[in-house]
Amino acid sequence: MRIQVRRSQKQLIAQNIDMRRLVAILILCASVTAIMASGHGQGSQQSQAQPQAQPSPSPRPAIAQVPPEEAARELNNPRSKWFREAKFGLFIHWGLYAIPAGTWKDKQIPGLGEWIMNRAKIPVKEYELLAKEFNPVKFNADEWAQFAQDAGVKYLTITSKHHDGFAMFRSMVSGYNVENGTPFKRDVIKELAAACAKHGIRFCVYYSQAQDWHEPNGAGNTWDFGPDDKKDFDQYLRDKAVPQVRELLTQYGPIGLIWFDTPRLMNEARASQFTNLVRELQPDTLLNGRLGGKGDYRSTGDNRIPNEVVPGVWEVPATINDTWGFKSYDHNWKSVEDITFKLVDIVSKGGNYLLNVGPTSEGVIPEESVVRLRAVGAWLKPNGQSIYGTSPTAFGAELKGKDWRCTTKPGKYFIHLFQWPNGTFELDGVKSKIKKSYLLVDSKNKLKVNQSGDKVSITLPARAPDKVDSVLVLEY
Ligand code: JFZ
């Protein structure tokens, strides 16, 4: 990767670019070098350790930048068009871990809810028994898809198999699955895929390709099966992971993307088994960046939002409290204001927001999540044109503060005002002549525009039309 950066730098110098871009590239070179040296790149040992829901205070960047030509390739990939325009997705972590919900044998287990088997070192023989209890009678795929629609997300990514190895779909490969191994006897993935199709939501699946704590040769379970380097990992890939991914790609209609994760023990050859399968069976399905090979887009570290615009196609996977899988005592819900700000902030930097909910063992999405996401959806209804299909900010100075953000479409700046200015909104560095300005929710009322050179001043009404984010449109 370093070599590619150097080459691109030379090319750009040859093209006589200005000093500012050169400085930016040098910083990029330095940060790529730093990431490689510190072993913090995606797929490194570090990212495979027990993950934290909270960002670490280390100065490591939220996302590993790629050379400009690589970012351009991501952006020009026709396969990712829907994803680039979607901007907002719903992540669902749901599995057997919803039953203990963070507590094992009367002890609250620290860490992420879906990691309880690992954190409490629960033997397979004990954890497996949860399947016999799994009976989420309140699960209603249609309600979940309706909820996704109300929240304004364009895609939904659900854990079809997390690290615990339990498949939430009917599988011929392993009886450890929701249809054959539980009293529930229903295929969750099938019902949800159908409901999403009905509600116009792209259906996507998470699949833990490397860690599988249920299998002697899967990565991660050292308490039952000993160290990973003694395992026949290829046997696990051949006999479980690859055939299950084949099932996912053939049993449920179109899959928008597959979200692979924590690529322990993965390498190019192992990753290509999945890549080839996906390209063969569903050439339109996107691959995320945590397979262990090249993906169609990249993820930031969990809950990490970059400070600047990041070129390319990328996504921020994020929790709505501090866990992915349901924990009965995690009440640290992010507010509607915070979620809306994060959505706009991420979109203004060029990314997607993949926000998670963790349903209970009864099949209910916690009411606290529902209320918040519905409120975001209610904001998106009249303001969605300033989010979906937009491009990043045309400015950048605003990213240092939290007062406002900018998203763009050809001929339009959308200014998201999180702080309502007194009287006028002043904007610097405007390169085009502003023709008109109005509030997105009140487009009939034209606002007074004063422009002198690259400075623009818009006269605003006394009150903000929205208490979280009022969108001001500037057309040029
Ligand atoms: C992984 C999982 O281990 C976790 O349970 C959850 O599913 C989450 C979405 O993904 O955790 C990670 C993986 C990678 C990073 C952080 C947490 N990373 O690269 O920063």
Side-chain angles (χ1 to χ4, degrees), residues 42 47 51 60 91 93 112 114-115 162-163 206 259 261-262 290 301-302 324:
Q42 292 265 331
S47 66
R60 97 163 133 127
F91 215 171
H93 276 68
L112 304 168
E114 72 284 4
W115 272 73
H162 204 266
H163 308 332
Y206 171 111
W259 221 94
D261 205 1
T262 60
R290 291 185 184 172
D302 298 3
W324 306 91

Side-chain angles (χ1 to χ4, degrees), residues 45-53 110-116 118-119 121 163 211 213 264:
Q45 284 305 110
Q46 204 67 28
S47 66
Q48 293 160 28
Q50 158 74 27
Q52 305 272 294
L112 304 168
E114 72 284 4
W115 272 73
I116 192 165
N118 182 303
R119 293 298 299 258
K121 299 291 175 272
H163 308 332
Q211 293 201 71
W213 305 328
R264 292 189 193 183

